[in-house]
Amino acid sequence: MKLGGILINIIVDETTYEGSVEKIIYKNKNNDYMVLLLKTDSEDITVVGVMPGVGVAENLRIQGNFSNHHTFGKQFVVKSFSRFLPQNNKSILKYLSSGVIKGIGPSRAKDIVEAFGEDSLNVIENHPEKLSTLKSITQKSAEKMSNIFKENFGLKEVITYLSKFEITALEAIRAFKKFGNKTLDMINENPYVLCGESICLDFNRIDNMFVSKKDSFDGLCRVRAFILHLLLLNSKSCGHTCLPKNKIIDACLSIIKEDNKTTNKALGELIDESAIRCYSMGEVDFLYLNEIFCYEEYISERISMMLKLPPQSIVNVGNLIDEIESNQGIKYAKKQKEAIKLALEKGMLILTGGPGTGKTTTLNAIIKILNKMGEKVVLTAPTGRAAQRMSEVTKAKAKTIHRLLEAEPNKEGKRNFRKNEKNLIKCDAVIIDELSMVDAFMFDGLLRALPISCRLILVGDEGQLPSVGCGNILADLIKSKRIPVIHLNEIFRQSSNSLIVTNAHRIVNGDELLLNASNRDFFFLDVYSAQDIKSTIMDLFTKRLPKTYNYLPLLDIQILCPGRKGVLGTFELNKSLQNVVNPSDENKSEIKIGDVLFREGDKVMQTKNNYDLTFDCSGSTRNGVFNGDIGILKNIDKMAQVADIEFEGCLVRYNMDQILEVSLAYATTVHKSQGSEFRAVIMPMFPGPEQLYYRKLLYTAITRARSLLILVGRKNVASSMIRNDRKTRRCSGLYHMLSDNVNMF
């Protein structure tokens, strides 16, 4: 639900067994997924699930349900577990010999048990100095063994405790990595720490789970967590970098029913701690998460500095343009020449325009002149597909921004770029394409890695949707009027023959689609019912387009939907298309994650940036798979609980918890298609919520098609989308900061 424009995020019976771990059949070291044999009083059970640190000879109490695996037969799937340590010398020796404690193998286990008997585990945990009296163990090794033993116990205790509140083992592991052996103390004092950074459990979920504990901790914790939750949720779901302070106070009063005094005290504490930042825009105060405030503040200061210290102006640009025109038989339009001159003389330029207006031709002239002047030019774009297209049209190498900055994971799984203020990109000029989809976080990272006098050319299309991530970079930069802007609006002859291009411009201008022309790259199939629209789309994707145009469904055709829900949303279409394009086969492994069934051979998409995923490609190591990357699911190994997905010819290995970040991609939303281009695009036209059916969304969908665009459904839906010139206002402060910084340098 929404409050004043702010987004507000509002079992089957299990069986219990007790027994001793007889054997560890399989263990995935990356995610602690195990397959083990549990010996109970009545039977031996094959148990599967995430069970960190469990070792042979441990006594376990497990909760869960049986399932039948088509390959491995009957298995008990663990939802939660608790453990009991072995008590006698024989079982303790077996337990320690299993390798559950790093540094203790069979030989050392024998020495320890012979020396301390049934007190061995107590000695390891509480008296490690006694271990160092043994010949084979140093004091440092003894302390290390003790710490590992305590961590194993602490983690299991956290998992057991949190399982009572339906918090999964993987989520409990995230909490333990953050707080270590203090985890339970932290949670008992303030359960809302589970909503914090790197754990990121939903506020409403924690608020509902720990309702019985609310009287046992300071109410300020709850308000603080809710405020941070609002800011984080709106940055991720709506793209806002900040929110009006008065709206946040209203939400605290009406949604979680806190009083004004507590709310203001919580806000004051968060501001004093710099967890959030307050920034005034006119007469209104806006609140930021500190990290996001720093992004926009740095961008505004860096842009101001670069404008104050521009690169050396290139002279005689007019003559250089004449030379290119003469040598290549090109005639540049007036605005194209103006753009080339500004980029080369001023050092910074925003170049905008719709399809077919000559942006590429203009860029190629700029690149040619810069190369002639001996400048090193770097080309970059926010997605792999956008970078690939940039390379194709400029005949020069382009990289994604992530690759250019050499993204790598850090301990918290957040971004870390090798290229930064201390390790600058070696370049004289940078050209960024598809700026409309570059968010504040990424633009901040890029600017930090540029030499101060670097030439900066920003290319984007104002008509397209804003970035998936938070921020309003292109719009704010244009609105600030600090950077020269050239808007190309003349459609050139070679593009005017394309109805895709013509209709794209008609949409931007608010005009009805042109559908009666003889051009063959834009079709509207008039179909009325939702089921008939779905059947037509299925037929086009699987039969008609492959037969008529020789298109490959997985590589050449993309279905784009306004949203995910309903019979014509991505969820239902993906299920139906999967069954036809990639049907079940005994030779294909498959696995269900949540509500989604994944099968080898599926077309899939990464739905969030993941810097931890690493893979080798053509002999070089890459870090990270990023939001919007499309690949093919090549292999599922259920026993190892891993899957391999191919992106751009390179295999990336996923753990099962990482597969949660992947979705089927036969059909995807228009938002997720930003920065991509496909040979053929199919889009359903069926009535839906006004907030999903508007002009920019239709324009973005149509401009994703390179050769063929087919709309299937009701014509009045397209007409209403064109009329709905919904201005998606993003709360951001960059424009104001740029204005404030006019005289800073």
Side-chain angles (χ1 to χ4, degrees):
M1 64 175 285
K2 285 194 174 184
L3 174 72
I6 297 179
L7 190 65
I8 311 293
N9 213 17
I10 308 256
I11 293 186
V12 179
D13 290 341
E14 295 176 351
T15 307
T16 300
Y17 283 93
E18 289 188 10
S20 174
V21 178
E22 187 71 16
K23 180 182 180 183
I24 304 291
I25 300 170
Y26 169 79
K27 179 179 179 180
N28 185 317
K29 294 180 180 179
N30 293 317
N31 61 6
D32 291 304
Y33 178 89
M34 287 189 182
V35 180
L36 58 83
L37 188 65
L38 188 73
K39 192 175 188 64
T40 72
D41 291 339
S42 57
E43 60 180 318
D44 290 351
I45 301 172
T46 300
V47 181
V48 299
V50 177
M51 294 173 279
V54 166
V56 171
E58 279 196 80
N59 297 314
L60 299 183
R61 178 183 290 118
I62 57 173
Q63 285 184 300
N65 300 102
F66 280 104
S67 69
N68 282 303
H69 191 284
H70 67 84
T71 302
F72 303 112
K74 187 178 180 182
Q75 297 178 329
F76 189 87
V77 181
V78 168
K79 296 294 179 64
S80 63
F81 73 95
S82 56
R83 46 90 69 94
F84 310 93
L85 286 176
Q87 302 296 317
N88 58 56
N89 288 0
K90 183 178 179 181
S91 58
I92 292 172
L93 177 61
K94 188 176 181 181
Y95 170 69
L96 292 177
S97 298
S98 70
V100 69
I101 300 175
K102 189 175 180 181
I104 300 179
S107 178
R108 276 187 175 172
K110 184 179 178 182
D111 291 342
I112 292 170
V113 174
E114 285 181 351
F116 305 110
E118 294 180 358
D119 197 39
S120 295
L121 300 182
N122 177 50
V123 168
I124 294 172
E125 181 178 11
N126 299 310
H127 305 286
E129 69 280 359
K130 292 184 179 180
L131 287 178
S132 62
T133 63
L134 301 179
K135 186 176 180 181
S136 61
I137 301 176
T138 64
Q139 183 174 344
K140 186 176 181 180
S141 297
E143 290 174 356
K144 190 173 182 181
M145 293 171 193
S146 181
N147 289 334
I148 292 171
F149 185 77
K150 289 175 182 177
E151 283 187 7
N152 284 345
F153 265 86
L155 176 55
K156 292 169 194 175
E157 190 178 3
V158 168
I159 291 171
T160 300
Y161 176 76
L162 292 180
S163 68
K164 300 174 186 176
F165 301 98
E166 297 184 9
I167 294 175
T168 69
L170 291 171
E171 291 167 338
I173 290 170
R174 292 209 302 265
F176 191 80
K177 285 181 179 178
K178 176 84 172 176
F179 301 118
N181 289 323
K182 296 180 180 179
T183 302
L184 292 184
D185 290 338
M186 297 283 289
I187 292 169
N188 284 321
E189 182 180 340
N190 173 19
Y192 296 97
V193 296
L194 295 171
C195 305
E197 203 174 354
S198 73
I199 305 172
C200 299
L201 300 192
D202 181 72
F203 171 87
N204 292 319
R205 182 180 171 197
I206 300 303
D207 203 43
N208 292 330
M209 285 177 184
F210 291 93
V211 65
S212 62
K213 294 175 63 64
K214 286 180 184 175
D215 293 333
S216 65
F217 56 83
D218 186 351
L220 277 172
C221 297
R222 182 168 179 259
V223 188
R224 287 163 58 101
F226 181 68
I227 292 169
L228 294 172
H229 160 77
L230 282 183
L231 290 169
L232 182 63
L233 176 67
N234 280 271
S235 71
K236 290 186 174 181
S237 300
C238 303
H240 301 312
T241 61
C242 54
L243 292 174
K245 181 179 178 181
N246 65 307
K247 296 289 186 182
I248 289 181
I249 292 173
D250 289 346
C252 291
L253 300 179
S254 60
I255 302 300
I256 60 171
K257 310 299 182 185
E258 289 292 348
D259 60 77
N260 199 61
K261 182 180 178 181
T262 305
T263 298
N264 282 306
K265 185 176 181 182
L267 277 171
E269 287 183 358
L270 290 169
I271 292 171
D272 289 343
E273 297 165 10
S274 294
I276 62 175
R277 303 284 287 274
C278 185
Y279 181 73
S280 297
M281 303 183 208
E283 297 180 356
V284 181
D285 287 340
F286 285 78
L287 297 178
Y288 281 84
L289 291 171
N290 180 61
E291 186 175 38
I292 296 176
F293 177 84
C294 291
Y295 295 154
E296 289 199 336
E297 182 181 53
Y298 180 84
I299 291 168
S300 66
E301 291 177 356
R302 185 67 179 213
I303 290 290
S304 298
M305 185 180 293
M306 292 176 75
L307 288 167
K308 190 72 174 180
L309 302 170
Q312 184 175 351
S313 178
I314 295 176
V315 297
N316 297 321
V317 175
N319 292 336
L320 294 169
I321 293 173
D322 292 341
E323 185 179 326
I324 295 175
E325 287 183 323
S326 175
N327 292 340
Q328 298 191 357
I330 294 174
K331 185 64 179 176
Y332 295 110
K334 181 180 178 180
K335 281 195 173 182
Q336 287 180 305
K337 289 183 178 180
E338 187 179 351
I340 297 166
K341 287 182 178 180
L342 283 171
L344 300 175
E345 293 175 354
K346 299 294 185 184
M348 196 176 291
L349 171 72
I350 296 175
L351 181 64
T352 74
T357 56
K359 294 196 299 293
T360 298
T361 305
T362 305
L363 281 182
N364 282 334
I366 293 170
I367 293 168
K368 189 175 291 290
I369 293 172
L370 289 174
N371 286 335
K372 183 173 183 177
M373 303 307 294
E375 293 198 7
K376 179 176 174 57
V377 183
V378 168
L379 309 183
T380 189
T383 68
R385 285 176 176 262
Q388 182 180 3
R389 190 173 72 253
M390 196 180 189
S391 294
E392 291 169 355
V393 299
T394 62
K395 310 302 179 186
K397 185 176 181 180
K399 292 182 177 181
T400 65
I401 298 174
H402 289 97
R403 305 281 180 235
L404 179 63
L405 298 179
E406 299 179 15
E408 60 182 4
N410 62 16
K411 290 182 180 180
E412 295 182 350
K414 297 172 65 178
R415 75 151 190 201
N416 186 35
F417 297 137
R418 290 194 185 99
K419 294 297 183 183
N420 50 45
E421 301 96 323
K422 297 179 181 179
N423 183 23
L424 299 175
I425 298 167
K426 294 179 180 178
C427 63
D428 301 300
V430 169
I431 300 175
I432 309 170
D433 198 10
E434 296 282 4
L435 187 68
S436 62
M437 64 178 301
V438 176
D439 59 27
F441 148 79
M442 189 53 59
F443 199 51
D444 165 270
L446 181 61
L447 290 180
R448 288 180 186 275
L450 297 184
I452 191 63
S453 294
C454 176
R455 206 176 300 276
L456 187 61
I457 297 141
L458 308 169
V459 186
D461 186 344
E462 293 176 85
Q464 289 188 24
L465 295 169
S467 59
V468 175
C470 69
N472 206 18
I473 300 300
L474 177 60
D476 279 350
L477 290 177
I478 292 173
K479 186 180 177 182
S480 75
K481 297 182 180 179
R482 298 289 310 280
I483 302 173
V485 179
I486 295 294
H487 183 88
L488 302 178
N489 50 23
E490 178 185 347
I491 303 176
F492 288 90
R493 184 178 301 172
Q494 62 269 29
S495 296
S496 63
N497 294 325
S498 167
L499 206 55
I500 293 175
V501 172
T502 300
N503 277 326
H505 287 270
R506 292 180 70 86
I507 291 169
V508 167
N509 295 328
D511 298 327
E512 289 292 313
L513 296 175
L514 184 62
L515 300 173
N516 58 354
S518 59
N519 191 282
R520 310 305 293 172
D521 70 348
F522 192 111
F523 297 88
F524 201 117
L525 303 185
D526 202 353
V527 184
Y528 189 79
S529 75
Q531 195 56 54
D532 287 344
I533 293 171
K534 180 179 178 180
S535 299
T536 302
I537 289 173
M538 297 276 293
D539 191 46
L540 287 166
F541 189 89
T542 60
K543 297 177 183 177
R544 290 165 63 178
L545 296 189
K547 181 179 179 181
T548 305
Y549 297 95
N550 204 29
Y551 286 163
L552 300 173
L554 295 187
L555 300 179
D556 299 325
I557 309 170
Q558 186 61 54
I559 297 168
L560 299 181
C561 305
R564 292 174 292 182
K565 299 177 181 178
V567 67
L568 294 171
T570 58
F571 186 77
E572 290 299 328
L573 282 174
N574 273 320
K575 284 202 300 184
S576 299
L577 287 162
Q578 181 191 52
N579 289 334
V580 176
V581 178
N582 188 32
S584 181
D585 187 308
E586 62 180 11
N587 295 318
K588 293 178 182 177
S589 184
E590 57 186 44
I591 190 165
K592 192 167 186 179
I593 306 290
D595 295 329
V596 181
L597 179 70
F598 292 98
R599 183 176 295 135
E600 290 175 351
D602 277 335
K603 181 179 183 179
V604 296
M605 174 184 281
Q606 179 76 14
T607 60
K608 64 181 291 187
N609 293 338
N610 188 320
Y611 296 89
D612 290 325
L613 290 166
T614 303
F615 54 100
D616 290 329
C617 189
S618 302
S620 62
T621 300
R622 287 184 179 181
N623 289 302
V625 179
F626 306 108
N627 192 357
D629 286 352
I630 293 177
I632 303 296
L633 181 52
K634 288 293 187 179
N635 175 61
I636 298 171
D637 187 334
K638 286 187 177 181
M639 178 62 78
Q641 286 286 286
V642 296
D644 295 318
I645 300 177
E646 183 181 296
F647 295 98
E648 301 175 30
C650 307
L651 285 179
V652 183
R653 174 145 291 186
Y654 282 72
N655 299 322
M656 285 302 113
D657 56 313
Q658 293 167 327
I659 290 289
L660 293 169
E661 300 173 357
V662 173
S663 66
L664 295 176
Y666 303 99
T668 188
T669 63
V670 178
H671 283 85
K672 288 294 184 183
S673 73
Q674 287 176 262
S676 296
E677 188 177 78
F678 311 95
R679 292 185 69 181
V681 168
I682 306 169
M683 186 177 182
M685 290 280 103
F686 191 75
E690 183 179 330
Q691 62 267 29
L692 287 179
Y693 285 69
Y694 57 102
R695 185 184 296 177
K696 272 196 173 185
L697 188 131
L698 180 60
Y699 174 82
T700 301
I702 285 176
T703 54
R704 299 308 91 204
R706 185 192 309 165
S707 304
L708 181 66
L709 188 285
I710 304 177
L711 301 179
V712 183
R714 305 181 189 179
K715 291 181 180 178
N716 67 315
V717 173
S719 298
S720 65
M721 290 181 77
I722 294 169
R723 289 193 300 271
N724 182 13
D725 189 18
R726 173 176 172 263
K727 300 294 184 183
T728 308
R729 181 173 181 262
R730 287 195 165 185
C731 289
S732 65
L734 179 58
Y735 157 70
H736 294 271
M737 291 180 184
L738 284 164
S739 300
D740 289 346
N741 283 335
V742 169
N743 300 314
M744 177 176 283
F745 297 99

